[in-house]
């Protein structure tokens, strides 16, 4: 399955166009390699996504063409969620 489709179905990122933008900025990795929106993902792959001040690492558990909103989180397991600290400026 394509990365953009998986992220939309799993609701990690709501729109495929947004996945494309984030991927083009090099903010998505699959198993440690920078990914494109069209990259293929499989069950067992590890995704790392940088959202602004947060880095989310998930492991893909299942791939489905359609899933109900309340079941979307069953497609992945969150491995790590960390906040990126902004450097503080001392004046």
């Amino acid at each position: 399955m394509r990365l953009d489709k998986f992220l939309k179905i799993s609701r990690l990122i709501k729109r495929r166009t947004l996945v494309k933008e984030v991927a083009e900025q090099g903010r998505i990795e699959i198993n440690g390699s920078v990914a494109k929106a069209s990259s293929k993902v499989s069950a067992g792959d590890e995704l790392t996504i940088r959202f602004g001040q947060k880095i989310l690492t998930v492991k893909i558990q299942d791939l489905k063409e359609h899933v109900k909103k309340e079941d979307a989180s069953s497609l992945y397991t969150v491995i790590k969620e960390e906040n990126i600290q902004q450097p503080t400026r001392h004046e």
Side-chain angles (χ1 to χ4, degrees):
M1 176 181 285
R2 284 174 54 115
L3 174 64
D4 55 356
K5 185 169 184 180
F6 174 78
L7 290 174
K8 180 180 184 292
I9 290 170
S10 67
R11 291 172 173 79
L12 285 165
I13 297 180
K14 302 274 191 275
R15 295 185 321 275
R16 287 174 83 164
T17 53
L18 187 55
V19 174
K20 186 173 190 290
E21 286 176 27
V22 173
E24 285 175 350
Q25 294 169 3
R27 292 170 35 199
I28 303 176
E29 294 180 359
I30 300 173
N31 299 323
S33 299
V34 175
K36 294 181 181 178
S38 60
S39 298
K40 298 288 182 210
V41 295
S42 308
D45 283 350
E46 200 171 287
L47 301 179
T48 303
I49 308 165
R50 282 189 297 141
F51 298 98
Q53 302 307 311
K54 186 170 82 173
I55 297 176
L56 180 67
T57 304
V58 299
K59 184 170 190 166
I60 298 175
Q61 298 298 326
D62 199 3
L63 300 175
K64 293 183 180 175
E65 291 296 317
H66 303 286
V67 67
K68 291 180 182 174
K69 185 177 182 178
E70 56 272 12
D71 297 332
S73 63
S74 69
L75 299 178
Y76 61 91
T77 302
V78 176
I79 296 172
K80 186 168 57 172
E81 191 171 342
E82 57 187 322
N83 289 318
I84 303 169
Q85 297 298 321
Q86 284 290 336
T88 54
R89 291 194 292 177
H90 298 285
E91 295 182 26

